[in-house]
Amino acid sequence: AWVGQHWATDEDHVFVNLGDGTYSHSGSLAIRAAVTSGAKMTYKILYNDAVAMTGGQHVESGQTPAQIAQQVEAEGVKTIVIVTEDPTRYAGVKNLPRSVKIFDREDLEDVQVMLRSTPGVSVMIYDQMCATEKRRRSKRGIIAPDRVRVIINTEVCEGCGDCSIKSNCLSVEPVETELGRKRRINQSSCNTDLSCLTGFCPSFVTVKDGEPAWTGEVRREFDASNLPLPETPSLAAPWNVLFTGVGGTGVTTVAAVLAMAAHVDGNAASSLDMTGLAQKGGPVLSHIRFAREPEDISTGRVPPASADLIIACDLVVAAGGDALLLMDPTRTAAYANSDVTPTSEFIRNRSKRFESDLLAGRVKRQARDFGAFDAEALAVGYLHDAIYTNMIMVGYSWQKGAVPVSLRGLYRAIRLNGTKVDDNMAAFNIGRIAAAAPERLATQHDPRGHLEPKTLDELIDDRATRLTAYQNAAYAQAYRDAVTRVRSAEEAADLGDKLTRAAATYAYKLMAYKDEYEVARLYTDGSFAAQLASQFKGGKLRFWLAPPIMSKKDSHGHLKKKHFGGWMMLGFKLLTKLKGLRETPFDLFGRTEERKMERALRDTYLETLETLASGLTAKNHAVAVAIAEVPDEIRGYGHVKEAAVAVASETEAALWKGWPTGDMPKAKTTLIAAE
């Protein structure tokens, strides 16, 4: 389109995205036409060795990046660059045109700025294997698994979400902790892309050549014997099953196993997968229809209001319109995994929450029979991999008598699939036990965290104890005194404890700002060692940090992270012992602008609590709580924290306009122009 319109617009340049598969079958002709037109544009050719949109097939031409560079150069492209995760791979490539320059993917933005000012047509070849395909091939044993894994120290993490934004990765998941929502790496779904490491945060650690913590352990015992065999549905009429889940978790594979089990039984079955952008973690709906004879199945899709069974491996997808449309309250049985998988919305909104109870209620209203349990926790607890959640759900649904295949047929189909046979058989049996005799299974903990609410006194005592460890008992007492003043004012006005809770939570947050001493303490107080031991054993550690004294800056003036070896733990231990220097004339770290800002935030907040307590009334209580909760938005380190402070300051300024009258600021109306 740009070839035809570039001469008629003030827009100077555009980027055009092109996959290597599209380039192979027709995209090269578009580049030829662009060169002929004289348009100023850059083609970004993603060389990922897979047609990701339609299932991960190999590109038919098999061209290498060097061959693509040769071809576009021959077509007349003057500026060609290659961006890759490992530039050293091109050290011995001999057939690469001399004019081609190689860049690390960390320099992507700078490279794009350079190309934007380049006359005519330019080409950037981005060389990196499709992350989803890489993980799939690793699980199948086609390629060796990556030797490097990532772990986030949740105590150091601030929950700012910068790592999610930088990586755009759904394996960077929320985890609920005593100090709020933070981040963790889901090792089951992680594709070891490692782009999350660029998130500006010292909580990231890589483990090279480490083994899973459970390597060599005997599988936790469970007994699936003596379970009653359910009466499976008759196929006098077609039986319709809808499987809902998230792309990359094996939904379509399990659907195919169910269809194969029907064939083993001598019946007919069809499986139709509605995947869309499922390769990127999007919704998947697999329609599975069972019948006695093939001619009884007139269409692959389950007709509206005709689902006999919903296997909801993901409640977000099951509670969506596409799935609910297929349900009938008098006909449909629905069985769900109660744990909600984070969606792409969590990447854009770090505070996004999906309430599983609300989603479950939406599905339950449309079902004649409903059951929900934490299948993912069972998969992780017993089999150490969330990928088995789907097969556990199949076992549960089968034991409920809602899957029209025999036990023999299912076992045979799992064996015919040929992948992780023993584990899949175990997962199926775990699901059966969860349905018929859940007391036989050990209690599992939600890997994304589950917290019981604390009383106000418990909250204050917990934070005071933490502040004693952070600095000393006097510092903790200053915290108690500040919170007590607010509590006395709120109790005197008989207004509950919402303001006091906010003060207790966020006074601690701003008083325990994470400087170098605190980050070091949180790495050496034993919590990180326990977290690491729960996931890996052995291996070499690397800590990804950006010390202001020795770190370079990028084109935006932000510090760039670099890695430090396991010896850094000795440095952390030394820094921990020096925490007494904090805010003294000998505190070298305390002179930076960031530390000055953090101290000012703390002192201003304590003054704010004094003001709120002295002028508190029933009328302005809501405004007081909102002001006290503003620090919730202040998260992160360095430039990330600075940006958060700027936003929080605007919010706080708007709230203060309603003090002491109690007027809440009006919500802003945002107009989004169509692009």
Side-chain angles (χ1 to χ4, degrees):
W2 184 244
V3 168
Q5 73 184 53
H6 71 93
W7 56 271
T9 177
D10 293 334
E11 187 75 28
D12 183 53
H13 172 276
V14 297
F15 287 97
V16 181
N17 296 314
L18 192 63
D20 51 357
T22 304
Y23 172 84
S24 177
H25 65 64
S26 60
S28 59
L29 301 178
I31 296 177
R32 182 186 302 175
V35 171
T36 303
S37 74
K40 186 179 179 182
M41 59 196 299
T42 299
Y43 277 91
K44 295 195 292 185
I45 302 176
L46 175 60
Y47 186 86
N48 63 6
D49 189 32
V51 186
M53 188 69 75
T54 54
Q57 304 94 331
H58 285 291
V59 176
E60 60 269 25
S61 67
Q63 286 179 298
T64 64
Q67 290 171 328
I68 293 175
Q70 288 179 336
Q71 185 172 4
V72 297
E73 182 187 51
E75 296 284 7
V77 178
K78 303 299 183 185
T79 303
I80 307 167
V81 301
I82 294 177
V83 177
T84 179
E85 59 185 333
D86 182 14
T88 60
R89 289 197 318 225
Y90 285 86
V93 178
K94 298 180 179 179
N95 59 341
L96 198 64
R98 291 186 177 181
S99 62
V100 176
K101 295 181 179 179
I102 311 296
F103 296 90
D104 191 285
R105 72 175 184 180
E106 291 184 359
D107 302 318
L108 174 62
E109 188 169 347
D110 294 336
V111 171
Q112 290 186 133
V113 170
M114 178 267 291
L115 293 175
R116 189 173 60 193
S117 61
T118 301
V121 175
S122 54
V123 167
M124 179 181 76
I125 303 172
Y126 191 97
D127 178 12
Q128 181 175 317
M129 180 184 290
C130 170
T132 301
E133 188 62 24
K134 177 182 178 182
R135 182 166 64 93
R136 180 183 290 118
R137 294 177 188 177
S138 175
K139 285 183 174 291
R140 293 175 179 173
I142 299 174
I143 62 174
D146 271 324
R147 298 164 59 194
V148 178
R149 309 291 296 191
V150 180
I151 185 173
I152 295 176
N153 184 340
T154 53
E155 291 293 328
V156 176
C157 172
E158 282 274 281
C160 68
D162 190 52
C163 52
S164 293
I165 294 171
K166 294 289 178 59
S167 65
N168 199 38
C169 180
L170 288 171
S171 294
V172 183
E173 293 187 341
V175 57
E176 307 300 335
T177 74
E178 291 286 353
L179 299 178
R181 171 179 279 197
K182 300 195 179 187
R183 297 292 186 278
R184 75 171 194 126
I185 301 297
N186 185 334
Q187 301 296 340
S188 296
S189 62
C190 176
N191 52 36
T192 61
D193 171 71
L194 304 186
S195 57
C196 56
L197 294 175
T198 59
F200 194 78
C201 172
S203 66
F204 282 86
V205 181
T206 52
V207 184
K208 184 177 181 181
D209 294 331
E211 292 185 334
W214 51 87
T215 300
E217 290 183 4
V218 178
R219 177 179 292 160
R220 299 176 69 174
E221 293 185 1
F222 58 91
D223 183 12
S225 62
N226 301 321
L227 291 178
L229 294 178
E231 183 178 346
T232 57
S234 117
L235 291 180
W239 188 266
N240 303 318
V241 176
L242 182 71
F243 216 117
T244 70
V246 172
T249 62
V251 175
T252 59
T253 300
V254 174
V257 168
L258 284 175
M260 177 55 70
H263 293 306
V264 171
D265 288 340
N267 295 316
S270 70
S271 176
L272 177 64
D273 303 316
M274 313 296 290
T275 57
L277 294 178
Q279 292 270 340
K280 302 182 184 297
V284 179
L285 293 92
S286 286
H287 299 245
I288 317 165
R289 305 197 68 196
F290 301 89
R292 292 263 176 83
E293 302 295 338
E295 54 267 23
D296 294 334
I297 303 174
S298 57
T299 177
R301 295 189 63 167
V302 175
S306 299
D308 296 293
L309 169 65
I310 302 289
I311 303 179
C313 294
D314 184 82
L315 266 172
V316 176
V317 181
D322 290 342
L324 293 178
L325 180 66
L326 306 182
M327 299 179 67
D328 182 340
T330 65
R331 175 175 181 172
T332 308
Y335 304 120
N337 170 31
S338 60
D339 195 30
V340 176
T341 304
T343 69
S344 59
E345 291 182 71
F346 174 69
I347 295 174
R348 299 189 296 271
N349 179 1
R350 65 190 179 191
S351 300
K352 181 69 177 179
R353 296 179 185 273
F354 288 103
E355 299 294 340
S356 61
D357 291 342
L358 295 177
L359 295 170
R362 191 180 301 174
V363 175
K364 186 176 182 179
R365 285 192 296 270
Q366 292 293 107
R368 63 169 176 79
D369 185 33
F370 179 80
F373 67 107
D374 197 340
E376 183 173 347
L378 289 172
V380 173
Y382 276 95
L383 302 171
H384 308 296
D385 197 331
I387 198 73
Y388 298 107
T389 302
N390 298 332
M391 191 57 77
I392 289 176
M393 289 302 306
V394 170
Y396 185 93
S397 302
W398 186 89
Q399 188 64 35
K400 289 288 188 178
V403 180
V405 295
S406 69
L407 191 61
R408 170 186 169 277
L410 268 167
Y411 284 166
R412 179 61 178 159
I414 291 172
R415 290 191 178 93
L416 286 172
N417 184 49
T419 302
K420 301 287 185 179
V421 172
D422 291 340
D423 289 335
N424 277 294
M425 297 276 277
F428 178 78
N429 287 329
I430 290 171
R432 290 187 62 200
I433 298 170
E439 67 280 359
R440 296 188 191 178
L441 297 173
T443 302
Q444 304 298 326
H445 299 288
D446 187 346
R448 299 187 185 94
H450 176 74
L451 299 175
E452 294 297 330
K454 279 183 164 60
T455 66
L456 181 56
D457 286 327
E458 288 173 340
L459 174 65
I460 295 171
D461 290 343
D462 175 76
R463 299 305 190 263
T465 300
R466 292 173 186 268
L467 284 173
T468 301
Y470 176 87
Q471 186 73 355
N472 51 42
Y475 197 62
Q477 188 58 47
Y479 162 82
R480 284 185 179 275
D481 293 343
V483 175
T484 298
R485 284 190 287 271
V486 175
R487 187 175 191 176
S488 297
E490 194 171 33
E491 288 178 347
D494 194 23
L495 295 172
D497 66 359
K498 195 170 183 181
L499 178 60
T500 309
R501 281 187 173 274
T505 300
Y506 299 112
Y508 167 80
K509 176 184 174 72
L510 295 181
M511 291 181 74
Y513 60 87
K514 293 188 176 76
D515 56 9
E516 286 79 359
Y517 306 112
E518 178 65 358
V519 169
R521 187 185 73 83
L522 293 175
Y523 267 111
T524 57
D525 67 355
S527 58
F528 173 68
Q531 182 186 353
L532 181 64
S534 69
Q535 298 187 51
F536 300 102
K537 58 183 179 182
K540 298 178 180 178
L541 300 183
R542 280 184 173 178
F543 300 88
W544 294 78
L545 311 169
I549 300 174
M550 60 182 71
S551 299
K552 297 180 180 179
K553 293 185 177 181
D554 60 19
S555 58
H556 299 287
H558 301 155
L559 295 175
K560 297 177 69 173
K561 293 169 68 176
K562 56 190 297 185
H563 59 78
F564 298 83
W567 58 266
M568 194 64 195
M569 286 298 291
L570 296 176
F572 287 148
K573 291 178 181 178
L574 176 61
L575 276 176
T576 300
K577 294 179 179 179
L578 297 177
K579 71 174 185 177
L581 299 178
R582 182 184 286 124
E583 298 188 39
T584 70
F586 303 102
D587 181 4
L588 296 177
F589 304 114
R591 300 172 186 175
T592 65
E593 292 301 317
E594 184 176 356
R595 298 293 165 257
K596 293 177 182 177
M597 176 188 71
E598 289 168 333
R599 292 195 296 270
L601 287 170
R602 175 199 61 194
D603 297 342
T604 301
Y605 188 75
L606 294 178
E607 293 172 1
T608 293
L609 294 183
E610 290 270 9
T611 302
L612 296 177
S614 61
L616 187 64
T617 66
K619 188 174 181 180
N620 62 31
H621 183 253
V623 173
V625 172
I627 292 173
E629 291 179 341
V630 165
D632 183 55
E633 292 301 318
I634 302 175
R635 309 182 199 178
Y637 294 82
H639 62 275
V640 176
K641 190 168 193 173
E642 289 176 10
V645 168
V647 174
S649 297
E650 290 184 9
T651 302
E652 185 176 11
L655 288 167
W656 275 118
K657 292 178 181 179
W659 181 266
T661 59
D663 298 325
M664 294 291 286
K666 295 181 180 179
K668 294 181 179 180
T669 302
T670 303
L671 299 178
I672 302 176
E675 295 184 356

